[in-house]
Amino acid sequence: MSVEALAEPSPVGDLVGLHRTALAVREHILAMGAGAVGTHVGGSLSAVDILVALYREVLRVRPDEPGWPDRDHFILSKGHASAALYATLAECGFFPVEELGTYGRAGGRLMAHPTPAVPGVEFATGSLGHGLALGAGLALAAKRAGRDKRVFVLMGDGELQEGSVWEAAMAAAHHELDNLTAIVDRNRLQISGSTEDRLRLEPLADKWRAFGWQTSEVDGHDFAQLVPALRTPPSAGGPAVLIADTVKGRGVRHLQHRKQSHFAKLGPEAYERAVTALRAAA
Amino acid sequence: MTTALPESDRAAYRAALVDLARADTRIWCLDSDMGGLEKQFQAELPDQYVDVGIAEANLMSIAAALASTGILPFANTMAAFASARALEQVKLDIAYHGLPVRIVATHAGFSAAHYGPTHHAQSDLAAMRTLPNMTVLTPADAYETVRLVTAAAYLPGPVYLRLGRNPIEPVYAGDDAVGTDLTIGKAVELRAGDDVTIVAAGALPVRFALEAADDLAAGGVGARVLNLHTIKPLDVAALVAAAEQTAGIVTVEDHSVLGGVGGAVAEVLAEHRPVPVRRVGIADSFCARPGTHTEQLAAAGVSTAHVVAAALSISPLCTSIWD
């Protein structure tokens, strides 16, 4: 065992590095939003800190060997936030940051919804309600094989309106998948408005508990909460869900809490204004 | 050596699956409360068995994830649910990723008979054969089922195996069967003939085709019978040869007349060798009255008599019959 492995890691990770990476990822998202095809800006910005915490401090992955058999698995079930995932993967070394400029463009591989052609992407997502069942399958395979690996699935809150999510929630609890952690990006907005106005989710934590999940709630933008919560595996006997309280459009003041930020194709002026706001708030 | 055949293709499949799984721990049985698999499979091989519940979307996604780790899952449900309720999971999680999931879909066509349209699957071939990467198999009897399941177990990509519900007569009998070349993607010529060709897929359609060939032979018409056990990849060479060597093609299927075997054959021949094509299949309608499988198919336009009439309607044959 190496000396490094014996050292106790900081319980909250490298806070300065986390913030630096998160800012870079948010800048990439805005740049992709200013590209030829635009992107789902609001839900990407709300997911950034969760993704950065996972990839920087929690997931056991090898950027230079994405298919490493002993890796932990991450599935971005809310595939609309591809810009956040691609930017995080690039910042963590899975592929060159320069490639982000090819987002959604012909000749490249960065489809605007994630595909496994992109290094680090496990499954194609973007049709909502698939990720949790895929994660349950990966977790089941790992448990049966006796492999010590964890599986993480990030879902949107609006996504929880898909019935297939709850099929998977039942299966994961029934099969006692205590290597599976779900995260809900609870930004409270879907494209048409508030989740509570469109199709009510609350009492959300009670729903997960009733389905047999260990349930906790965290501030989805506070690394001091996110990193320890994500590092802690579920207790033996069942899966865990973190309901991460987040803000749609997080980091760009005039986009925050606004359903209009759901998708944006930013013109040059809108892009400059957004980047300026982002850096001012950082 | 001749072994006794199980009574239905789904029973034959289950026995074959247990045999395969005994020999290879990567072969898993995914159940969605089909009934019986818990006794036949789980009791003996619990580590290779998962019940996902009455949850077909979940079934397909979990199967895909397992397959991505090197497991070879057989996902068991009914054709109606595999091809409609869970089609998006089949399309995205399985077919898009090209994962080696074997979707085993029983109760296909009208084989659920008196249960009616809730359990009829008359559009599944149309849905499945248009999915990239998918292999689509429609065995004609229990023997062919066992052979195709065994051949399909180690294909690199996804497979849709279309099975029925009911006891079926064997197409291949005794020792003759052992010598038959059953290769995925290669149609089997069950009868030679140079006047007209009948292309059939599935248990009852193949039986109707053989009976029709007998009737036509009695009238002096030589009907070639091709058993199209693989809908995808299609045996283009056998179809084009039949179009070149006979007056036209009759297709027979326990499936909508739209988009299935008839559709696939017509597409190929329109491009490669346009000849008269007659499609015997389920008329574009739901079957809402109870009856046996055979009765319901006949009411929808699929029977031996329909095949004979279709064959005779191909113009050169009409001439030869009535001259």
Side-chain angles (χ1 to χ4, degrees), chain A:
Chain A
M1 188 178 278
S2 69
V3 175
E4 287 82 355
L6 287 169
E8 192 69 23
S10 158
V12 296
D14 167 17
L15 275 177
V16 173
L18 286 164
H19 282 287
R20 190 185 300 127
T21 304
L23 178 60
V25 168
R26 285 192 164 90
E27 291 188 3
H28 293 313
I29 291 167
L30 294 178
M32 284 181 260
V37 297
T39 197
H40 288 90
V41 172
S44 291
L45 291 172
S46 69
V48 166
D49 300 314
I50 298 163
L51 287 164
V52 169
L54 279 169
Y55 277 92
R56 279 289 191 219
E57 296 290 346
V58 182
L59 289 172
R60 195 172 46 176
V61 290
R62 291 180 175 170
D64 55 353
E65 189 187 357
W68 177 40
D70 289 329
R71 71 190 181 280
D72 291 337
H73 297 283
F74 172 75
I75 297 170
L76 179 70
S77 194
K78 48 171 285 181
H80 297 60
S82 60
L85 177 63
Y86 292 165
T88 304
L89 289 171
E91 282 292 328
C92 292
F94 282 82
F95 56 87
V97 166
E98 295 71 36
E99 191 174 340
L100 295 173
T102 68
Y103 179 79
R105 286 167 58 174
R109 56 184 174 178
L110 300 186
M111 192 85 87
H113 282 173
T115 85
V118 180
V121 175
E122 298 267 3
F123 278 97
T125 53
S127 177
L128 298 174
H130 289 236
L132 193 59
L134 291 168
L138 293 173
L140 182 64
K143 271 187 82 80
R144 289 265 177 105
R147 284 176 182 268
D148 175 28
K149 53 164 67 185
R150 294 182 64 190
V151 180
F152 296 84
V153 178
L154 175 58
M155 292 177 286
D157 51 0
E159 176 178 7
L160 303 183
Q161 293 161 2
E162 292 281 3
S164 53
V165 171
W166 302 98
E167 287 187 10
M170 273 193 281
H174 178 85
H175 291 287
E176 302 181 354
L177 301 179
D178 49 19
N179 52 351
L180 175 64
T181 298
I183 307 139
V184 177
D185 182 0
R186 183 75 172 111
N187 63 33
R188 296 182 174 271
L189 287 173
Q190 54 195 104
I191 191 169
S192 306
S194 156
T195 57
E196 301 315 285
D197 292 342
R198 308 314 300 184
L199 190 67
R200 188 167 57 248
L201 297 176
E202 295 297 340
L204 187 56
D206 289 345
K207 285 190 170 73
W208 283 102
R209 282 189 203 102
F211 273 75
W213 286 61
Q214 300 160 40
T215 306
S216 53
E217 296 174 76
V218 295
D219 180 335
H221 300 302
D222 180 354
F223 289 118
Q225 291 185 39
L226 271 176
V227 172
L230 291 166
R231 276 186 181 160
T232 306
S235 301
V241 59
L242 296 181
I243 300 173
D245 184 20
T246 59
V247 174
K248 194 150 184 166
R250 169 76 179 197
V252 181
R253 180 180 286 261
H254 58 275
L255 297 180
Q256 290 186 166
H257 298 293
R258 297 190 64 197
K259 69 177 184 182
Q260 289 82 356
S261 77
H262 183 86
F263 178 88
K265 197 168 159 185
L266 302 169
E269 286 178 18
Y271 169 68
E272 284 303 326
R273 185 174 167 227
V275 170
T276 303
L278 175 66
R279 289 176 181 156

Side-chain angles (χ1 to χ4, degrees), chain B residues 31 72 95 150 210-211 227 231 249 268 273:
Chain B
D31 195 357
L72 299 171
T150 306
L210 291 170
E211 289 172 356
N227 167 16
I231 308 302
I249 310 283
V268 163
R273 180 82 183 185

Side-chain angles (χ1 to χ4, degrees), chain B residues 30-51:
Chain B
L30 269 62
D31 195 357
S32 56
D33 200 40
M34 293 294 287
L37 288 168
E38 74 285 358
K39 289 182 192 151
Q40 197 167 356
F41 196 106
Q42 183 183 20
E44 180 180 341
L45 300 165
D47 294 342
Q48 291 158 255
Y49 172 91
V50 184
D51 194 337

